[in-house]
Amino acid sequence: MNDLSNLSGTELSRLILKGETSSYELTKLALDKIEEYSQYNIITNILDNSLEIASDIDAKIKSGDIKSPLMGVPVTIKDNITVKGAVTSAGSKILSNFVSPYDADSVIKIKAAGLPVIAHTNMDEFAMGSSSETSIYGPVHNPLDFTRSAGGSSGGSASSVIAGISPISLGSDTGGSIRQPSAFCKIYGLKPTYGRVSRYGLIAYASSMDQIGPMAKYPEDLKALFGIICEKPNVNEFSLSDRKLKIGILNGFEEQAKPFIDSVKDVISEVKVIDIKTIGYTVPSYYIIACAEASSNLSRYDGIRYGYKSEDENLSLEELYIKNRTEGFGTEVKRRIMLGNFVLSQGFYDQYYLKATKVRNAIKEEIEKIFKDVDIIVMPVALEGAPLLGSKLKEPLKTYKEDIYTVIANLTCNPSLSLPIGETGLQIMGRHNNDELLLDLAIRYGQGEGN
Amino acid sequence: MGNPVDDKLILELEALGKLSLSEEERVSAKKDFAQIIDYMNILDNFKEDSGEEFTTFTLAENLRDDIPSDSKKTEEYVSDFLGKEISVPEVIK
């Protein structure tokens, strides 16, 4: 039999249905892989009873109770998505003892579709970072090169896929956190349209941009997993069979887009070079809004009702709050909380937060205008390839600026899909609710010269 | 726009965030904040906004119907707790 870790999830599920393997066997292999890659810090915690759950799924399959095209395939989940009965820490000390009493909506759907959830994956603390180095569990090492970052913040999810632990994983994307690690680990990742996947059970960072999405080694699996977790839109999307597409490539990246354009040329009517005039304002707007929302969302963590609590007992309530938060949060999280408080504070609110929301609206209007002329916008994911571990933490502003191409889709709520092209990856962005169109294009790319 | 970052501002932001930085962290935060806020001031150059603020509610036309369904009963939520995750320690004696 082929090495099972190289097969797609949909292929593995077909093998299970044919009786050539089982969910139990695949889950056992996944747990062995977790052990094999333990030095890479990919996994934060292994979920209890995953082998028993896999056996139950096998029994259902034998009785003909087939729920999805990925039934029986083990899946890993980013550590900021709640799984009932499991520690869900968001990579933070302040939630390191938090056992979730409920499943996130997307996890409920995955379980109902017959996929065994096997482990939580490592990430930047509260998804604040782009190298998966700010976690309490230590930095994630890229399985393609131990000395390099796997990207972030969903670096553990991307690594679990490329290491062969699971062919699919769930990540979250607030400013590129699915697409950038997907690019660095050479897999596929989708940041869905804002609202297409429920955020219930996602530990909040910046609520107006947070989005759960699928990550996979093969685009067919990406589409199948999205089909399981997504909400149905109320509008008719158009598909590749309706008409040919007009593609807009961001000026300067025509050569980088060539492998993608060549592989989908049959469905293209026109290729244009486009400019995004507001692109220079995206990063400052993003960080003002994200930090503002983060400072509000993270104000709930005080260590009183749940989470990390200092052992110092001789403190007033106010002092206890400060002690718990100071010891519980890492440097980057503290920085963003303080920046958020700054842009929201009296005297600075109009100049920073209010201005940023207006600029965000202008960016959205420009992207909408571009989408009147083209169906897909093509641009790189990152400025450069996977960096060496340790090189990202000393200069926060330089690191923020590297999010320039990914934050656009979060600011405008559009779907965007990262393709494993080149060192920096290539993303294709579509109109709102055109997620399935992007997925079909990714499958075409995968069938062409991609794979 | 000038850069307002000084020692007093850092202390105020610590208080607002219910945090307490070490001296070393304060020095580092002051340097980083000065650079980051300088960079954020780029937005002063943007003059073409319509005055409208961004809202995700403009996407409402694309949202699915909001169909209410039976919510989970309180007893079911209570049974989800394993009895050890949530505790309310005594903080005022």
Side-chain angles (χ1 to χ4, degrees):
Chain A
M1 188 181 285
N2 292 323
D3 180 359
L4 292 175
S5 63
N6 284 330
L7 296 179
S8 71
T10 44
E11 183 60 31
L12 289 169
S13 192
R14 278 193 286 270
L15 290 178
I16 296 172
L17 299 193
K18 283 198 273 180
E20 293 180 23
T21 186
S22 66
S23 184
Y24 182 92
E25 186 186 358
L26 294 179
T27 303
K28 183 80 175 54
L29 284 172
L31 297 174
D32 290 345
K33 279 276 181 188
I34 289 173
E35 182 65 29
E36 183 185 332
Y37 279 89
S38 60
Q39 290 184 328
Y40 287 73
N41 289 333
I42 295 170
I43 300 298
T44 59
N45 64 83
I46 299 167
L47 305 185
D48 293 338
N49 306 327
S50 53
L51 286 171
E52 287 173 37
I53 290 164
S55 292
D56 291 346
I57 291 167
D58 284 329
K60 280 184 185 166
I61 291 170
K62 274 183 188 158
S63 69
D65 188 12
I66 311 302
K67 301 286 191 190
S68 75
L70 289 169
M71 186 149 185
V73 176
V75 60
T76 55
I77 308 277
K78 189 175 179 180
D79 199 18
N80 61 350
I81 300 170
T82 57
V83 177
K84 184 178 170 182
V87 172
T88 306
S89 74
S92 180
K93 183 177 178 181
I94 208 156
L95 284 177
S96 55
N97 61 358
F98 173 66
V99 179
S100 175
Y102 67 101
D103 279 327
D105 263 359
S106 50
V107 173
I108 290 172
K109 287 177 174 158
I110 280 175
K111 287 181 175 177
L115 282 72
V117 176
I118 56 167
H120 264 134
T121 57
N122 205 354
M123 54 180 284
D124 281 299
E125 184 180 6
F126 283 104
M128 297 180 191
S130 51
S131 61
S132 297
E133 290 178 282
T134 67
S135 166
I136 188 186
Y137 300 98
V140 179
H141 294 260
N142 192 325
L144 299 174
D145 181 346
F146 189 80
T147 63
R148 292 189 182 273
S149 162
S153 63
S154 309
S157 289
S159 296
S160 77
V161 170
I162 200 64
I165 293 170
S166 58
I168 47 175
S169 187
L170 276 193
S172 70
D173 191 317
T174 307
S177 288
I178 285 176
R179 290 161 287 157
Q180 186 251 37
S182 295
F184 289 176
C185 290
K186 304 207 178 297
I187 63 167
Y188 295 81
L190 172 70
K191 196 290 283 184
T193 303
Y194 182 80
R196 278 300 297 276
V197 179
S198 166
R199 285 182 293 111
Y200 179 77
L202 173 66
I203 293 175
Y205 159 26
S207 307
S208 77
M209 295 182 279
D210 290 341
Q211 188 65 93
I212 292 173
M215 302 166 84
K217 195 170 175 183
Y218 297 95
E220 294 84 355
D221 291 350
L222 200 71
K223 186 173 183 181
L225 185 55
F226 179 69
I228 289 169
I229 62 171
C230 76
E231 307 290 339
K232 301 295 174 211
N234 203 21
V235 291
N236 292 322
E237 298 180 40
F238 78 92
S239 70
L240 288 177
S241 57
D242 294 335
R243 63 171 169 80
K244 292 199 169 187
L245 304 175
K246 291 180 184 174
I247 306 281
I249 303 173
L250 188 62
N251 198 352
F253 299 101
E254 299 89 325
E255 195 58 35
Q256 196 174 336
K258 201 167 176 304
F260 169 69
I261 298 295
D262 287 349
S263 64
V264 298
K265 60 184 178 230
D266 292 351
V267 294
I268 294 176
S269 63
E270 192 178 352
V271 177
K272 292 181 174 187
V273 174
I274 59 150
D275 285 302
I276 301 175
K277 284 184 242 164
T278 52
I279 199 164
Y281 300 100
T282 56
V283 174
S285 305
Y286 170 81
Y287 275 95
I288 288 170
I289 293 165
C291 291
E293 294 183 20
S295 68
S296 174
N297 276 325
L298 272 63
S299 63
R300 74 190 70 174
Y301 301 112
D302 54 23
I304 301 299
R305 288 156 296 177
Y306 59 91
Y308 170 79
K309 182 166 176 262
S310 170
E311 289 176 3
D312 193 341
E313 293 185 348
N314 300 312
L315 298 170
S316 69
L317 188 59
E318 179 77 4
E319 287 168 340
L320 185 64
Y321 285 160
I322 292 171
K323 186 95 172 163
N324 291 343
R325 287 168 65 82
T326 300
E327 292 177 1
F329 290 134
T331 303
E332 184 59 33
V333 173
K334 287 177 192 167
R335 182 183 293 128
R336 295 194 195 194
I337 288 172
M338 289 170 68
L339 277 170
N341 280 318
F342 169 74
V343 298
L344 290 174
S345 60
Q346 191 179 24
F348 300 111
Y349 177 90
D350 288 359
Q351 293 163 357
Y352 293 98
Y353 182 72
L354 189 61
K355 178 75 178 180
T357 61
K358 289 176 180 174
V359 174
R360 182 180 183 184
N361 197 51
I363 295 165
K364 185 201 76 171
E365 286 175 352
E366 188 188 5
I367 296 297
E368 280 175 352
K369 197 172 163 194
I370 292 170
F371 274 127
K372 284 184 179 160
D373 205 25
V374 301
D375 299 302
I376 301 289
I377 297 174
V378 181
M379 63 183 131
V381 173
L383 284 175
E384 52 191 32
L388 289 169
L389 283 167
S391 64
K392 286 275 185 182
L393 298 175
K394 289 175 185 165
E395 296 178 85
L397 179 58
K398 184 167 176 276
T399 308
Y400 295 173
K401 286 179 181 176
E402 289 173 3
D403 296 338
I404 186 163
Y405 300 122
T406 48
V407 296
I408 300 170
N410 302 92
L411 287 166
T412 63
C413 302
N414 290 80
S416 192
L417 190 153
S418 172
L419 302 163
I421 297 177
E423 292 300 307
T424 63
L426 193 78
Q427 60 178 324
I428 49 177
M429 186 162 87
R431 296 189 187 96
H432 294 141
N433 286 316
N434 276 190
D435 307 63
E436 281 83 353
L437 179 69
L438 300 183
L439 289 159
D440 287 341
L441 283 171
I443 290 171
R444 286 212 170 222
Y445 169 73
Q447 288 166 343
E449 56 186 274
N451 288 334
Chain B
M1 192 186 301
N3 196 313
V5 179
D6 57 18
D7 294 337
K8 183 167 166 278
L9 180 72
I10 297 293
L11 288 172
E12 284 171 0
L13 295 178
E14 277 181 58
L16 281 168
K18 297 212 184 303
L19 297 166
S20 175
L21 304 189
S22 66
E23 273 311 313
E24 193 185 340
E25 287 173 322
R26 280 187 191 123
V27 171
S28 173
K30 195 173 152 189
K31 180 181 131 269
D32 292 338
F33 279 34
Q35 288 177 353
I36 292 167
I37 290 165
D38 255 348
Y39 178 63
M40 287 174 171
N41 287 340
I42 289 174
L43 293 190
D44 289 346
N45 302 330
F46 193 81
K47 309 290 183 197
E48 296 152 41
D49 70 82
S50 61
E52 296 289 320
E53 296 164 42
F54 180 87
T55 167
T56 52
F57 289 111
T58 56
L59 303 173
E61 65 196 59
N62 291 332
L63 294 180
R64 68 190 185 281
D65 290 332
D66 193 5
I67 303 165
S69 58
D70 290 339
S71 60
K72 219 171 173 181
K73 292 189 168 58
T74 307
E75 300 75 42
E76 292 176 55
Y77 276 109
V78 171
S79 68
D80 283 349
F81 291 89
L82 303 178
K84 60 185 178 184
E85 301 87 348
I86 294 181
S87 62
V88 183
E90 189 180 22
V91 290
I92 303 173
K93 294 177 180 172

